[in-house]
Amino acid sequence: MHLNRRDLLAKCIALGVVTTTSNLAPSVLAESWLRSENPLKTPTPENELGPFYKRNAPHTAMLRGTNDPGMPLAVAGQVFNTRGDRLEDAKIEIWQTDHMGHYDLKGYRYRAVLVTGSDAKYAFSSVMPGHYPARVCQHIHFAVTAPGCKPLVTQLYFATDPVFDGDPDKNYMRDPLVRSRELVCPVMLKGDPGAVVANVSFELVLERL
Amino acid sequence: MNFSRLLSSGLLTVFGTLCAAQELHLEAKLQAPAEITYATTCGNGTQLLGVTKDGDLYRWATLSGPAQRILSNQKITRRRITNFACSRDGKWIAAGVGGKEVLVIDSATLEPTQSFQVSNHDLGSISFSPDGSLLAVTANDSATQLWDVRTGQRLATGKTILGASTAAAFSPDGKRFLSADEDTVIRAYTVSGEPLYSSEADLLEPFGVAFTPDGKQFVVAGAGGTVSLFDATNGHKIKTSASRGNPIFNMTMVPDGRRVCALEFDDFKFEPVALSLWDLNSNEWKKVDVDPKTILGAGTAKDHLLIIRSEGSQALSLWSLQ
């Protein structure tokens, strides 16, 4: 039988491998130990699903075609629950426009499904999404599901978006759908001149059921 | 006679008007107190409801009289009227206020009788049950909610795997309702909230759902630009139309039960680009000859569909679709 870290700690306490002077239940002590190792995390704010979600997207981490125009973009992060546990087998659905602000409704361009491994990490390559008249900000949609957690529907925004005028703290609400500053992430440019990639780190935290 | 001569002689315009006249017949022209941005019909097409750019709600109690202001954004609610509906018998009006709350208004006195807190963000659609006793409300942070009009109690809330609901519809017998959900699933419930079945429509999100008048089938339209027909007893799909290539964000079942009227949108600008009819039997699409940008809404009379159009900043017109 495979024991997770919490069960293993509880069992160690129950068997006396780990001793305690407290009269609390082993499961409570194990929980406390783990909490000290993994600080509690605030859930990622929710944001609208939007009108262009499409099911059955392909499993791929490369959304960008070889000759696709637009600023190359690399997004990476880890998926946790609010207890700080890394979430293995989390399913992340992502969809976005191309660099000109067009969603692909006929096919699956710039749409993908990713599944986290034991390290709970995810990463994908794409292009910086464009603007379109019905939305103020550039954004990428995320829908994340994981066993034991409430599904998370959210959107990633970019601090470099011209809409924010270089000051997302002050201007993030210029898009009425951006209700949380935390969803606006810094962008780090990496690579050689001529092959610059915009890098964004976006941690996803799901509420436990 | 060549094309340029047709244009210069004005005959092409006349021809266009005749084509439109085969489908849309002018029923009434009405004065509006201000520019109306969205409208629907009430009481089997004998009344009209419209909301102004400023978020004030007006009613035309007859199709020849002036508009009465029901709720004033500035003076009464201080919040915008975002969406609204009318019961089939015309006795009740439901208005979404400030994107969060639904007010139920007695149409005889024009006084609010109930209010429900439905959403934290934005209300979606509001639908009355056929007898006017229930409301199905969608919002962008919740699955479809079912409310009792008289008591103001929430009776049930649907469930989705992802996201919220976009539209809802009651069966003609008032015993069931359908919820069109953002996770691309159509879910059927009893009016006590018991799940009956779920169906997958298009791969993209659904934005309109409606029963056929006999209640035996239902139709679903959405961002994929298709309309699908389902068996309402078990949710099995019967057929799907060809895609229009544009998202369908608004859809109405024509009371003849044979056609669906769909308003197509440009997926980049989110502007209406065409009004089309899908024939359930022949599986064919037909474009209605009308400027889609003038359409303010649709409603139903006993045996036909009504289209409400803008006639400038202070007038609107009502057209029946034959």
Side-chain angles (χ1 to χ4, degrees):
Chain A
M1 186 178 78
H2 177 74
L3 294 177
N4 64 28
R5 185 146 164 72
R6 178 169 290 96
D7 294 337
L8 190 65
L9 273 169
K11 192 173 179 183
C12 286
I13 294 166
L15 292 174
V17 178
V18 176
T19 56
T20 170
T21 54
S22 165
N23 51 12
L24 291 171
S27 60
V28 175
L29 289 165
E31 179 80 27
S32 176
W33 183 330
L34 283 172
R35 197 175 298 147
S36 65
E37 286 183 350
N38 298 331
L40 295 180
K41 288 182 176 288
T42 307
T44 302
E46 297 197 352
N47 215 189
E48 277 78 352
L49 192 78
F52 295 133
Y53 169 73
K54 188 174 184 179
R55 70 172 185 271
N56 298 351
H59 286 249
T60 178
M62 179 53 80
L63 283 71
R64 184 178 73 235
T66 314
N67 297 314
D68 280 4
M71 178 65 164
L73 172 70
V75 180
Q78 265 181 304
V79 186
F80 297 94
N81 63 21
T82 46
R83 203 166 55 187
D85 301 328
R86 292 174 183 154
L87 295 180
E88 187 179 351
D89 288 332
K91 180 185 173 190
I92 306 169
E93 293 178 86
I94 43 179
W95 64 104
Q96 64 166 88
T97 69
D98 64 13
H99 76 298
M100 294 296 285
H102 291 278
Y103 284 99
D104 182 8
L105 301 185
K106 294 186 175 77
Y108 286 96
R109 295 274 291 136
Y110 298 109
R111 297 173 183 272
V113 174
L114 309 166
V115 178
T116 57
S118 56
D119 58 2
K121 288 182 179 172
Y122 76 90
F124 64 91
S125 297
S126 185
V127 295
M128 188 65 83
H131 293 90
Y132 56 96
R135 269 307 293 275
V136 178
C137 285
Q138 300 162 302
H139 57 279
I140 298 178
H141 293 271
F142 283 71
V144 191
T145 51
C149 290
K150 185 182 162 196
L152 169 68
V153 173
T154 193
Q155 297 179 39
L156 162 66
Y157 302 94
F158 306 93
T160 50
D161 193 319
V163 169
F164 300 135
D165 271 344
D167 191 352
D169 287 340
K170 184 180 163 195
N171 298 324
Y172 72 94
M173 283 194 290
R174 284 183 177 175
D175 184 333
L177 286 184
V178 187
R179 287 183 283 268
S180 306
R181 170 65 181 87
E182 303 96 286
L183 296 177
V184 185
C185 292
V187 176
M188 184 182 287
L189 298 179
K190 291 181 183 174
D192 303 322
V196 175
V197 176
N199 283 258
V200 175
S201 175
F202 188 43
E203 183 179 277
L204 297 159
V205 181
L206 278 64
E207 288 182 67
R208 297 166 62 211
L209 286 174
Chain B
M1 191 176 281
N2 64 28
F3 185 70
S4 59
R5 281 194 64 193
L6 276 171
L7 276 174
S8 60
S9 66
L11 282 173
L12 193 63
T13 311
V14 173
F15 177 70
T17 309
L18 288 173
C19 277
Q22 289 172 5
E23 290 163 343
L24 291 176
H25 293 267
L26 181 64
E27 297 281 332
K29 278 199 173 185
L30 299 152
Q31 292 302 306
E35 186 175 349
I36 300 293
T37 54
Y38 174 63
T40 189
T41 61
C42 249
N44 270 327
T46 57
Q47 300 176 15
L48 219 64
L49 285 176
V51 69
T52 66
K53 243 182 178 175
D54 293 332
D56 292 340
L57 182 61
Y58 284 85
R59 180 183 66 170
W60 287 259
T62 67
L63 298 185
S64 56
Q68 303 162 276
R69 187 159 61 188
I70 298 175
L71 289 172
S72 164
N73 167 35
Q74 296 299 320
K75 292 180 181 169
I76 299 174
T77 66
R78 298 188 184 280
R79 290 164 295 163
R80 288 176 59 80
I81 310 300
T82 49
N83 24 32
F84 49 86
C86 190
S87 64
R88 189 175 287 178
D89 59 11
K91 288 181 180 171
W92 302 101
I93 295 162
V97 182
K100 299 180 179 181
E101 185 185 355
V102 172
L103 284 183
V104 177
I105 298 152
D106 183 330
S107 70
T109 62
L110 297 186
E111 291 295 325
T113 60
Q114 283 292 349
S115 69
F116 324 137
Q117 184 72 28
V118 171
S119 169
N120 289 319
H121 297 305
D122 285 315
L123 284 168
S125 67
I126 303 175
S127 313
F128 274 98
S129 61
D131 66 358
S133 65
L134 303 172
L135 270 178
V137 186
T138 66
N140 69 359
D141 57 351
S142 164
T144 297
Q145 299 177 22
L146 199 64
W147 292 82
D148 187 307
V149 169
R150 286 192 185 280
T151 65
Q153 296 295 307
R154 185 164 58 190
L155 303 174
T157 303
K159 278 187 181 160
T160 63
I161 296 170
L162 279 179
S165 303
T166 56
F170 286 95
S171 60
D173 63 8
K175 292 179 178 172
R176 296 163 289 159
F177 71 97
L178 295 168
S179 175
D181 298 334
E182 285 183 329
D183 54 11
T184 73
V185 176
I186 307 301
R187 294 178 172 88
Y189 302 89
T190 66
V191 287
S192 53
E194 295 299 318
L196 292 170
Y197 54 78
S198 58
S199 310
E200 288 183 341
D202 198 276
L203 289 164
L204 284 138
E205 291 176 47
F207 284 95
V209 60
F211 279 92
T212 52
D214 62 10
K216 291 179 179 173
Q217 297 170 330
F218 67 86
V219 286
V220 178
T226 61
V227 180
S228 295
L229 179 69
F230 293 84
D231 184 328
T233 55
N234 52 25
H236 292 168
K237 193 184 284 183
I238 298 167
K239 64 171 93 167
T240 297
S241 76
S243 174
R244 298 297 293 162
N246 299 309
I248 298 169
F249 288 149
N250 294 87
M251 179 205 73
T252 310
M253 184 84 216
V254 180
D256 64 15
R258 295 184 290 111
R259 295 172 295 168
V260 167
C261 188
L263 190 57
E264 301 171 33
F265 282 74
D266 178 295
D267 61 9
F268 186 70
K269 295 178 180 171
F270 282 47
E271 291 174 351
V273 289
L275 186 71
S276 307
L277 288 166
W278 181 58
D279 189 303
L280 277 62
N281 296 319
S282 70
N283 204 355
E284 287 179 357
W285 281 101
K286 188 181 177 189
K287 203 167 168 182
V288 180
D289 189 6
V290 61
D291 178 358
K293 291 191 175 72
T294 64
I295 296 171
L296 299 175
T300 52
K302 266 186 181 165
D303 58 357
H304 59 275
L305 189 74
L306 293 162
I307 304 290
I308 307 148
R309 297 174 64 189
S310 169
E311 298 286 340
S313 62
Q314 292 202 312
L316 43 84
S317 55
L318 188 66
W319 302 74
S320 61
L321 183 83
Q322 301 299 321

